[in-house]
Amino acid sequence: MSGIVATPIHFPHQHQDPRLSPSHPSWFFHRALVNQANAYQVSYNTINSAGRKRKAEDEEPPVEDRMSISPSPSLHQRPLPAQRITKRPKPATSGRPLPLPRLLETLDTESLRSILQTICQRHPGLGSEIEQTAPRPSVSSALAVLKQYESALQAAFPFGGDPSSDYAYNRVRSTLTNLLEALADFTPHFLPPNEPQASQSLSFLDSATELIHRLPDWSTFQHRLHKQNAYEEISKAWTSVIQEAAKRAGGIHIQYGGWDQKLTKHNQQSGGKLQEAVDEMGKHLGWMGGQQTAQHHGSRGDDLSSVRQELLSGTYGSNLPVRVGPW
């Protein structure tokens, strides 16, 4: 035992060449230490990489984050090609006329009426089509037009002076003619057979007669002929409507509504120029047992003194017809 000499372990110095010769005494020992160190290093790297992998799996980002991560980082660094923007030339702004609907919106009633009249004169066939398409004028609409003509007549009178003088007549002659022509055109429209309803005809004639009453009374006889002719025409219109209304529904339209009283008042205001129409009204009302019969019996009932005298004398009812036969 004492004869065995222990060989000390020799560690090479850091600055010495680690590549020892196999013949060196400590080469085998150095080689064993190196192999053992390498084994330890391999085992450590394996354990460490497994831990890092598990940690990476535990901290794996959600699907949204993984989807947002680009698999190729180089794509973010790659410059995108510049987008080519082509500018199309805009058409130059130029003037153009208005569309027909917009043009019609800018026209007033007078301008639109003038255009329609001009078109109908150039194309006569369009006139009948417009008459069939346009709504039927009502009494109120016709009277509104006549009211406008009357307002124009009143506005044409000169300020001051005599309104019935020849000077005033010359100033308003054109507007007076327009009013009388409009009245002459509207009146036949509301007469039978064009107007089937007697109430509409009588309503228009009542207002039209009031308009004639308001016409000026000129000092010159020739100028007064306009108003006299208007009375004659309106009297004929009243007569025509009364005759036609008496044939329909037993004349109920003239029997009720107080038209006989209105016509009588118009006749008095015109100075008897509507007497022809008044006579026609009385004829039909008398045939239907209307006003004349009522006036006859009313005169007896209103004369209280005569009734009292007949009762006292016992002659009351002697002039009444006596019924014969069973009661």
Side-chain angles (χ1 to χ4, degrees), residues 11-232:
F11 293 93
H13 195 269
Q14 294 180 358
H15 298 286
Q16 291 181 358
D17 189 5
R19 295 176 297 179
L20 300 178
S21 174
S23 60
H24 196 275
S26 61
W27 183 83
F28 293 99
F29 181 74
H30 176 73
R31 187 63 181 175
L33 290 177
V34 171
N35 292 336
Q36 187 176 3
N38 290 337
Y40 286 132
Q41 184 68 28
V42 171
S43 176
Y44 174 78
N45 292 339
T46 302
I47 296 174
N48 192 18
S49 62
R52 287 197 304 269
K53 183 176 180 181
R54 175 60 60 184
K55 184 177 182 181
E57 292 177 354
D58 295 340
E59 298 179 359
E60 184 178 1
V63 178
E64 291 81 359
D65 297 341
R66 288 190 283 111
M67 292 294 292
S68 62
I69 299 175
S70 177
S72 178
S74 61
L75 294 177
H76 295 282
Q77 301 177 359
R78 183 182 304 171
L80 297 176
Q83 185 178 2
R84 298 180 60 184
I85 301 176
T86 58
K87 293 184 178 181
R88 297 180 179 179
K90 296 182 179 180
T93 303
S94 59
R96 64 179 182 274
L98 280 174
L100 181 59
R102 297 301 181 190
L103 179 61
L104 295 178
E105 290 178 353
T106 61
L107 300 177
D108 55 359
T109 305
E110 188 65 27
S111 300
L112 187 59
R113 184 186 302 112
S114 177
I115 292 174
L116 287 176
Q117 291 177 355
T118 304
I119 294 176
C120 292
Q121 291 175 0
R122 295 178 181 177
H123 307 279
L126 294 177
S128 59
E129 185 175 355
I130 293 176
E131 292 177 357
Q132 297 175 1
T133 307
R136 182 181 178 86
S138 61
V139 175
S140 59
S141 62
L143 294 177
V145 174
L146 293 176
K147 184 62 177 178
Q148 293 178 359
Y149 282 107
E150 186 181 10
S151 300
L153 173 63
Q154 298 297 331
F157 274 92
F159 293 99
D162 186 7
S164 62
S165 63
D166 293 344
Y167 173 73
Y169 173 80
N170 293 328
R171 289 286 301 272
V172 303
R173 181 172 55 182
S174 60
T175 55
L176 176 62
T177 303
N178 294 335
L179 174 59
L180 294 176
E181 289 179 352
L183 180 61
D185 291 336
F186 278 111
T187 301
H189 175 76
F190 293 98
L191 299 182
N194 188 64
E195 177 55 60
Q197 298 182 8
S199 59
Q200 297 292 320
S201 300
L202 294 172
S203 178
F204 174 81
L205 292 178
D206 183 33
S207 300
T209 308
E210 289 288 348
L211 187 148
I212 297 175
H213 294 330
R214 295 192 296 266
L215 291 176
D217 294 321
W218 307 107
S219 58
T220 305
F221 174 76
Q222 294 181 351
H223 299 164
R224 292 198 299 267
L225 291 178
H226 297 293
K227 191 171 184 178
Q228 293 180 6
N229 294 334
Y231 275 129
E232 292 179 3

